[in-house]
Amino acid sequence: MKKLGSIVEIDPKNNFSALNEDLEMSFIPMQCISDENGEIIKLENGINKKSKGYTRFKEGDLIWAKITPCMQNGKSAILKGLKNGYGYGSTEFYVIRNLNSNIYLDYIYHILRTKLVRQDAVKYFTGSSGQQRVPKSYLQNLEIPLPDFDKQKN
């Protein structure tokens, strides 16, 4: 068993200031993520200079909704096909980035989409009703089984 926060980055810093402000990138509002299939429904067009104030991410990151009811509905996706490899979207996403070659991010994705994890996360909600969110500490401290890489892929 390993704490999720010890094997992946949760909400890594994504400073796009080194990128051209007119760089085209993907924009992903919450409604562009399928809660049923856990994938991107649509990539909207965005531009770097409009990304300020949004959650920023990169190709290959996992986004996971932190707000009710989106989290309970399973809104999460591994980001693929982002324009120029970058994107931004709802502030109600956590970004999970894998920098460890011994971790298969799809494995983490499937664990976070399980009903068991989503039901457990509700117990840790903070905020007022209607605007409740899973705190970052929940993901950081979530203990998950971590088999070897080949078993993660199966």
Side-chain angles (χ1 to χ4, degrees):
M1 299 294 285
K2 294 280 187 180
K3 287 187 178 185
L4 187 61
S6 72
I7 58 173
V8 295
E9 282 188 273
I10 300 168
D11 271 354
K13 298 288 183 217
N14 286 302
N15 186 345
F16 289 180
S17 63
L19 302 173
N20 183 309
E21 69 176 12
D22 294 321
L23 180 71
E24 293 180 1
M25 55 182 60
S26 299
F27 175 60
I28 307 176
M30 190 66 74
Q31 66 266 22
C32 287
I33 301 295
S34 167
D35 52 3
E36 190 173 311
N37 300 320
E39 59 189 26
I40 300 168
I41 299 168
K42 179 183 178 192
L43 290 172
E44 295 187 1
N45 293 321
I47 191 165
N48 186 21
K49 64 184 162 194
K50 292 186 178 180
S51 70
K52 197 171 205 162
Y54 288 95
T55 299
R56 295 172 174 171
F57 31 77
K58 296 178 182 179
E59 182 80 14
D61 286 345
L62 165 59
I63 54 175
W64 191 75
K66 59 182 159 182
I67 194 165
T68 186
C70 301
M71 184 281 298
Q72 294 102 306
N73 293 340
K75 284 193 177 262
S76 60
I78 293 180
L79 303 173
K80 298 174 184 170
L82 298 181
K83 190 169 210 162
N84 292 311
Y86 296 95
Y88 60 99
S90 172
T91 58
E92 301 299 346
F93 289 127
Y94 282 122
V95 176
I96 298 165
R97 182 169 296 151
N98 182 19
L99 299 176
N100 185 335
S101 61
N102 295 319
I103 304 296
Y104 186 57
L105 194 60
D106 286 61
Y107 174 74
I108 305 295
Y109 161 81
H110 287 293
I111 286 177
L112 293 179
R113 280 195 44 85
T114 63
K115 194 172 190 174
L116 180 69
V117 168
R118 290 183 285 136
Q119 288 175 336
D120 184 57
V122 169
K123 299 177 200 169
Y124 296 87
F125 271 159
T126 60
S128 60
S129 70
Q131 292 293 305
Q132 293 182 306
R133 291 170 183 85
V134 177
K136 182 177 175 181
S137 60
Y138 175 79
L139 288 178
Q140 290 171 323
N141 294 311
L142 179 64
E143 289 199 357
I144 64 166
L146 190 64
D148 66 44
F149 187 76
D150 289 334
K151 287 185 181 174
Q152 291 174 42
K153 290 179 79 172
N154 293 330

